[in-house]
Amino acid sequence: MTTEPTDLADFTATALTAGYAAGDFSPVEATRAVLERAEAAQARTNCFTRISADEALAEAGASAERWRSAEPAGPLDGVPVTVKDLLLTRGTPTLRGSRTVRAEDSAWDEDTPSVARLREAGAVFVGKTTTPEFGWKGVTDSPRHGVTGNPYAPDRTAGGSSGGSAAAVALGAGPLSLGTDGGGSVRIPASFCGIFALKATYGRVPHYPASPFGTLAHVGPMTRDAADAALMMDVICGADWRDWSQLGPVAGSFRAALDGPVAGLRVAFSPSLGWDVPVAPEVAAAVRATVERLAGLGAVVEEIDPGIADPVEAFHTLWFSGAARVVQPLDDAARELLDPGLREICEQGARYSALDYLAAVDTRMALGQAMGRFHSAYDLLVTPTEPITAFEAGAEVPKGSGHSRWTGWTPFTYPFNMTQQPAATLPCGVDGDGLPIGVQLVGARHADALVLRAAHALYGAGAAEIPAPPAP
């Protein structure tokens, strides 16, 4: 049985708002606790680019007044949140981990849509979290802000590109964070840091400015559990005219859909997607045990692969072309300031032709069709989130792995950015070094509520209980 937290910094968003409503404590008390934890988390892992203490306390004070009047602004009023430093946040520079971004060149007077919806709902903004430069890779280090460590072992990576957000949530520096996912960028760090993350169906969460990585890039919640993610999704999916590719209104509440049945769900378990992926034995065992939990909850489980080929070369064409577009406006002097790995993929991306790009789009469409056909027979696909646990911080790939790029060790995540499907990760155990292991749940396009429901059921069954990281 999980011990109930006593420090407000360890409360979920759901527990905080319940406490505010009951008058047990105030948003100011919660925010002070979170700010204290944020400072400690920063010292331990370097997960923040900015902690906005004065602004957060002012927002918390305004929230406390609304709760005293029994007129909260929304379902997240007074809840501390953090935002990845790729997303525009009014009043705060968005530096993108790059020395090429000059804070003084913008007024920083605009919120990205998801941040705007959080602000309207009364959320308290604690700070901006670290990212690799322009979010280009699956670990979090940048020329501007340095290396972000793992909350369980700071000499290991937090993953990326939303590594700062994952470390902040894991260490109690706010129960909610907004991340971006281009190839697994919320799921990779969530898996390594032992928290929950959802990459929603593309277009479900409005996104602006449009990502140079195109429709590979999603905005998603990073939270302590699936219930908080559902609560957050109910807020951040609000319409915004600035995103012409957003989906239509959500039918019902994600939060309300959590308690639907899991019994009878058709679950496909694929230990390696049918590819030659060397999954660490401890990872494989923990994921299989989680699948057995789903079967115990009444799901109909079959071990079967989706019958798709690894689309990594097509992903590289799309991703590296997007990176080249990011830096296109930079002159030679500015390019010398870039992360060397980023500079390499930008040079490769600039060499692709329009026909190369369109061929990658063809591969992507065929992959999406194949997964659509697969999900006509199965409600969920379950895989490891990553085949390994966190490796040494400051490296793009594990030493001795033979991989040249981060996609070499993330085979289970980027395919589902290409198909635009919802995919979540939740912790399912730890390895012999005490590092978290993640399991990935993938649904058909638009089946976000079903993915959240299955994840919530696993939390309820105790499948996601792992030791907390050492206190910062």
Side-chain angles (χ1 to χ4, degrees):
M1 181 178 293
T2 303
T3 303
E4 292 297 321
T6 56
D7 189 322
L8 290 176
D10 295 319
F11 278 42
T12 63
T14 304
L16 286 176
T17 54
Y20 300 159
D24 295 336
F25 44 80
S26 78
V28 174
E29 293 173 281
T31 299
R32 289 190 186 280
V34 165
L35 286 170
E36 181 178 346
R37 195 69 69 82
E39 294 287 353
Q42 173 64 4
R44 180 173 174 81
T45 64
N46 186 36
C47 56
F48 283 96
T49 65
R50 176 186 173 95
I51 298 174
S52 304
D54 292 342
E55 296 92 331
L57 288 170
E59 292 165 356
S63 173
E65 289 297 326
R66 292 191 293 271
W67 280 105
R68 275 192 285 269
S69 301
E71 295 178 344
L76 295 177
D77 202 342
V79 176
V81 302
T82 57
V83 178
K84 184 180 182 180
D85 197 28
L86 292 182
L87 298 169
L88 295 179
T89 306
R90 194 175 71 226
T92 303
T94 299
L95 303 175
R96 299 177 172 88
S98 180
R99 291 183 290 173
T100 69
V101 177
R102 289 160 49 95
E104 63 272 19
D105 286 349
S106 177
W108 308 112
D109 56 2
E110 191 172 24
D111 284 330
T112 205
S114 48
V115 173
R117 300 294 86 78
L118 289 171
R119 197 180 299 278
E120 292 163 2
V124 171
F125 292 93
V126 172
K128 302 295 287 286
T129 58
T130 52
T131 173
E133 192 164 23
F134 300 115
W136 79 271
K137 59 183 174 180
V139 295
T140 299
D141 57 71
S142 73
R144 185 158 197 154
H145 296 114
V147 176
T148 296
N150 191 291
Y152 283 80
D155 62 338
R156 305 291 185 98
T157 181
S161 61
S162 303
S165 287
V169 172
L171 290 172
L176 309 178
S177 191
L178 269 178
T180 62
D181 192 312
S185 313
V186 298
R187 288 160 290 149
I188 297 166
S191 175
F192 282 0
C193 295
I195 67 165
F196 182 83
L198 172 70
K199 178 190 73 68
T201 300
Y202 180 80
R204 177 52 61 209
V205 181
H207 191 16
Y208 169 88
S211 171
F213 298 105
T215 58
L216 292 173
H218 305 57
V219 177
M222 304 182 72
T223 61
R224 295 219 175 94
D225 59 22
D228 269 9
L231 182 62
M232 198 170 176
M233 285 287 288
D234 279 342
V235 172
I236 63 176
C237 290
D240 195 295
W241 61 266
R242 294 173 294 174
D243 183 358
W244 63 270
S245 65
Q246 67 182 304
L247 299 177
V250 179
S253 161
F254 291 104
R255 177 77 173 159
L258 288 178
D259 294 326
V262 171
L265 286 182
R266 302 163 300 171
V267 174
F269 170 41
S270 179
S272 66
L273 289 180
W275 307 339
D276 186 20
V277 178
V279 179
E282 291 170 302
V283 172
V287 171
R288 186 173 292 275
T290 304
V291 172
E292 292 170 357
R293 294 270 193 139
L294 278 172
L297 291 168
V300 180
V301 176
E302 180 180 352
E303 187 167 330
I304 185 171
D305 300 318
I308 57 175
D310 186 353
V312 66
E313 293 305 322
F315 179 82
H316 282 170
T317 300
L318 300 171
W319 191 254
F320 297 175
S321 296
R325 176 61 177 156
V326 171
V327 306
Q328 188 177 27
L330 301 180
D331 60 24
D332 290 344
R335 288 174 185 247
E336 288 300 315
L337 300 175
L338 295 172
D339 180 331
L342 174 59
R343 195 161 56 241
E344 288 174 11
I345 71 162
C346 290
E347 290 168 357
Q348 183 173 342
R351 292 194 292 267
Y352 292 126
S353 69
L355 290 178
D356 294 330
Y357 192 93
L358 290 173
V361 171
D362 287 343
T363 298
R364 184 181 188 182
M365 288 192 292
L367 180 65
Q369 290 167 346
M371 288 308 303
R373 181 170 57 250
F374 184 77
H375 281 287
S376 68
Y378 298 97
D379 299 302
L380 286 175
L381 169 65
V382 181
T383 75
T385 308
E386 298 305 331
I388 57 175
T389 54
F391 52 90
E392 61 273 16
E396 183 185 348
V397 301
K399 290 179 180 176
S401 66
H403 301 307
S404 59
R405 293 266 80 103
W406 62 272
T407 45
W409 55 268
T410 62
F412 301 122
T413 54
Y414 59 77
F416 305 111
N417 290 73
M418 296 182 74
T419 59
Q420 303 188 349
Q421 295 172 244
T425 184
L426 63 153
C428 63
V430 295
D431 69 8
D433 293 326
L435 296 168
I437 296 167
V439 60
Q440 179 175 234
L441 310 181
V442 183
R445 289 181 74 239
H446 312 294
D448 307 79
L450 187 149
V451 170
L452 286 166
R453 185 206 318 168
H456 182 62
L458 286 169
Y459 273 94
E465 293 180 7
I466 65 171

